[in-house]
């Protein structure tokens, strides 16, 4: 009986370990509220569901950086976005004090990343269609050493460089988690567009030049902006068909043209 009890206990522990889930960081209150003050290092998923159309960024402060320095650097980035001048310098100043891990969209969908020990910030900004942001708030939390969860097994890895996407050739339909890696020197994002039946990449490029008539496809999701050297995880519901990945971020270290103008637009196929 004692041996049987021991075996049952070990089996229960094994099941518990196998069922371990990622840390869930849900921003549920306007201004970035709802986060814990402390999180165990490891894989975490961040979601935003506040009922506001906010732009939410997760940043990791460099050692020795205080909250005032981070907020001043982000204010510089926001000012550069507003005036469309000095963006490269503003991003450079930001990277002196923090790393940009991810942008999270306010639709409740989760974006994941592996969090190292340190101090983290969430910038929660509400932007109108034109003009200065209506509000910019910050929330902070600490990531501490511990036995957190590893990153999940991804269906595929997508690599982004300056200026190209690298997709696998065997991506299959279904709910698929993509591991997206930024190996470039600039900020990037990835917008996924499913082409309408019979439409091609050339049709999409021609439509983007004029925007005449209905678009030859529809957006099915995106990975928001994140920094060089970072990796994020995002799940997509993919149906069989032809897709295009696009990066619209401007070449702020070069001529200012959108990255797609330098070739960062890639067709790929999702099979059955």
């Amino acid at each position: 009986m004692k041996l049987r009890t021991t075996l049952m206990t070990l089996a229960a522990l094994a099941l518990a370990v196998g069922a371990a889930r990622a840390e869930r960081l849900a921003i549920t209150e306007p201004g970035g509220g709802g986060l814990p003050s402390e999180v165990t290092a490891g894989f975490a998923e961040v979601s935003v569901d506040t009922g506001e159309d906010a732009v939410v960024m997760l940043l990791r402060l460099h050692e020795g950086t205080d909250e005032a320095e981070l907020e001043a650097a982000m204010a510089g980035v926001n000012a550069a976005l507003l005036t469309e001048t000095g963006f490269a310098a503003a991003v450079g100043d930001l990277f002196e004090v923090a790393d940009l891990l991810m942008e999270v969209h306010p639709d409740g969908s989760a974006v994941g990343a592996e969090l190292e020990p340190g101090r983290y910030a969430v910038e929660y900004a509400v932007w109108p269609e034109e003009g200065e942001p209506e509000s910019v708030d910050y929330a902070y939390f600490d990531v501490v050493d511990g036995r957190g969860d590893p990153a999940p097994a991804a269906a595929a890895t997508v690599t982004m460089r300056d200026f190209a996407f690298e997709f696998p050739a065997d991506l299959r339909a279904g709910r698929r988690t993509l591991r997206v890696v930024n190996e470039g020197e600039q900020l990037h994002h990835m917008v996924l567009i499913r082409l309408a039946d019979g439409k091609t990449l050339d049709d999409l490029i021609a439509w983007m030049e004029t925007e005449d008539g209905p678009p030859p496809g529809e957006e099915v999701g995106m990975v928001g902006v994140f920094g060089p050297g970072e990796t994020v995880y995002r799940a997509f519901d993919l149906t069989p068909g032809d897709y295009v990945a696009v990066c619209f971020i401007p070449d702020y270290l070069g001529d200012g043209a959108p990255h797609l103008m330098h070739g960062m637009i890639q067709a790929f196929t999702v099979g059955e």
Side-chain angles (χ1 to χ4, degrees), residues 142-169:
D142 293 307
V143 174
V144 298
D145 284 317
R147 297 181 62 182
D149 292 327
T157 294
V158 178
T159 303
M160 302 192 297
R161 300 185 177 91
D162 305 340
F163 302 97
F165 291 102
E166 183 179 308
F167 269 84

Side-chain angles (χ1 to χ4, degrees), residues 69-91 93-94 123 127 138:
E69 291 173 314
L70 181 278
E71 293 177 21
M74 285 301 295
V77 172
N78 292 337
L81 287 171
L82 187 62
T83 62
E84 298 184 354
T85 60
F87 189 70
V91 172
D93 290 343
L94 173 64
E123 186 197 63
W127 288 77
Y138 292 88

Side-chain angles (χ1 to χ4, degrees), residues 193-201 204 216-218 241-244 267:
I193 298 168
R194 188 187 187 282
L195 294 172
D197 292 343
K199 298 298 183 179
T200 66
L201 172 60
L204 178 63
E218 62 177 352
D242 294 321
Y243 290 74
V244 174

Side-chain angles (χ1 to χ4, degrees), residues 102-120:
M102 66 175 73
E103 176 186 7
V104 187
H105 291 270
D107 58 2
S109 59
V111 183
E114 292 186 278
L115 304 185
E116 303 171 354
R119 184 74 166 159
Y120 287 72

Side-chain angles (χ1 to χ4, degrees), residues 24-269:
R24 300 298 178 106
L25 304 179
I27 299 171
T28 57
E29 302 170 12
L35 292 172
S37 60
E38 191 173 280
V39 174
T40 302
F43 184 75
E45 291 182 324
V46 185
S47 62
V48 181
D49 190 4
T50 63
E52 291 186 324
D53 188 14
V55 177
V56 180
M57 303 288 187
L58 177 64
L59 304 107
R60 179 178 54 239
L61 280 66
H62 293 174
E63 187 174 355
T65 296
D66 61 31
E67 296 175 2
E69 291 173 314
L70 181 278
E71 293 177 21
M74 285 301 295
V77 172
N78 292 337
L81 287 171
L82 187 62
T83 62
E84 298 184 354
T85 60
F87 189 70
V91 172
D93 290 343
L94 173 64
F95 287 165
E96 290 292 325
V97 299
D99 301 314
L100 177 54
L101 272 65
M102 66 175 73
E103 176 186 7
V104 187
H105 291 270
D107 58 2
S109 59
V111 183
E114 292 186 278
L115 304 185
E116 303 171 354
R119 184 74 166 159
Y120 287 72
V122 168
E123 186 197 63
Y124 184 101
V126 178
W127 288 77
E129 290 187 8
E130 295 183 2
E132 297 182 0
E134 296 175 0
S135 62
V136 179
D137 295 289
Y138 292 88
Y140 294 88
F141 63 92
D142 293 307
V143 174
V144 298
D145 284 317
R147 297 181 62 182
D149 292 327
T157 294
V158 178
T159 303
M160 302 192 297
R161 300 185 177 91
D162 305 340
F163 302 97
F165 291 102
E166 183 179 308
F167 269 84
D170 56 351
L171 192 56
R172 298 299 175 185
R175 185 162 182 82
R176 303 300 184 200
T177 295
L178 300 183
R179 176 178 177 264
V180 187
V181 183
N182 184 352
E183 291 189 354
E185 296 182 0
Q186 297 195 29
L187 299 168
H188 289 297
H189 71 182
M190 181 177 74
V191 179
L192 294 187
I193 298 168
R194 188 187 187 282
L195 294 172
D197 292 343
K199 298 298 183 179
T200 66
L201 172 60
D202 288 340
D203 293 325
L204 178 63
I205 293 173
W207 180 84
M208 286 192 296
E209 290 175 350
T210 64
E211 295 192 4
D212 288 337
E218 62 177 352
E219 183 181 327
V220 296
M222 71 178 296
V223 172
V225 63
F226 66 111
E230 304 298 339
T231 298
V232 298
Y233 294 75
R234 174 80 155 79
F236 295 92
D237 291 311
L238 301 175
T239 58
D242 294 321
Y243 290 74
V244 174
V246 189
C247 180
F248 294 99
I249 301 295
D251 177 14
Y252 57 88
L253 296 180
D255 61 8
H259 290 170
L260 76 92
M261 300 298 292
H262 294 306
M264 202 164 182
I265 179 168
Q266 177 68 48
F268 65 98
T269 299

